[in-house]
Amino acid sequence: MLSPEKTRYLLESPEPVAWLVVVRGPKQGYDFPVEAVTNIGRDPQNHIVLEDEWVSASHATIRREGNAYFLFDLASRNGTYLNGQRIQKALILDGDEIVIGRTTLRFKRT
């Protein structure tokens, strides 16, 4: 079953480049398209809203730079982790796991 976010994205842009798949957490099973800039946090203004009390209002962002994607922590209280390492800025690759609060997301390139 496609999440509402993925369905909307597929209708608007038939060729997605990257996705975040929730593998652990309140939205387990959902997947979200990664745009040129994708903001992640608890605040409803984010592109990806995580309903997790351990997630800051504006927790992290992903930016596409050319063909590469970078993950940035936005001075969150509980940190942003990439493959088990706390990061401030890091290159993310297909299959990498991102932990934000108690939510684990897998980065997928298509």
Side-chain angles (χ1 to χ4, degrees):
M1 181 172 151
L2 297 177
S3 67
E5 291 84 0
K6 185 171 185 178
T7 302
R8 181 173 10 105
Y9 188 80
L10 287 172
L11 290 172
E12 293 172 4
S13 175
E15 296 185 36
V17 176
W19 299 93
L20 284 178
V21 180
V22 181
V23 295
R24 224 172 279 112
K27 289 191 174 183
Q28 184 172 348
Y30 275 73
D31 46 18
F32 301 94
V34 176
E35 309 282 341
V37 175
T38 301
N39 297 317
I40 306 166
R42 215 176 51 248
D43 188 284
Q45 298 295 323
N46 289 294
H47 298 102
I48 299 174
V49 178
L50 299 178
E51 298 157 1
D52 178 337
E53 65 188 24
W54 291 79
V55 173
S56 297
S58 294
H59 197 103
T61 192
I62 294 175
R63 290 190 198 127
R64 185 176 64 222
E65 297 177 12
N67 258 350
Y69 288 86
F70 291 89
L71 174 66
F72 297 83
D73 181 76
L74 299 177
S76 65
R77 182 179 58 213
N78 293 313
T80 300
Y81 294 81
L82 179 64
N83 299 322
Q85 299 294 314
R86 189 169 183 159
I87 61 95
Q88 293 300 312
K89 176 185 177 182
L91 173 69
I92 49 178
L93 303 171
D94 185 51
D96 280 351
E97 286 201 347
I98 299 166
V99 176
I100 296 176
R102 293 184 177 164
T103 301
T104 302
L105 307 116
R106 183 166 294 122
F107 181 75
K108 300 297 285 177
R109 298 277 313 245
T110 56

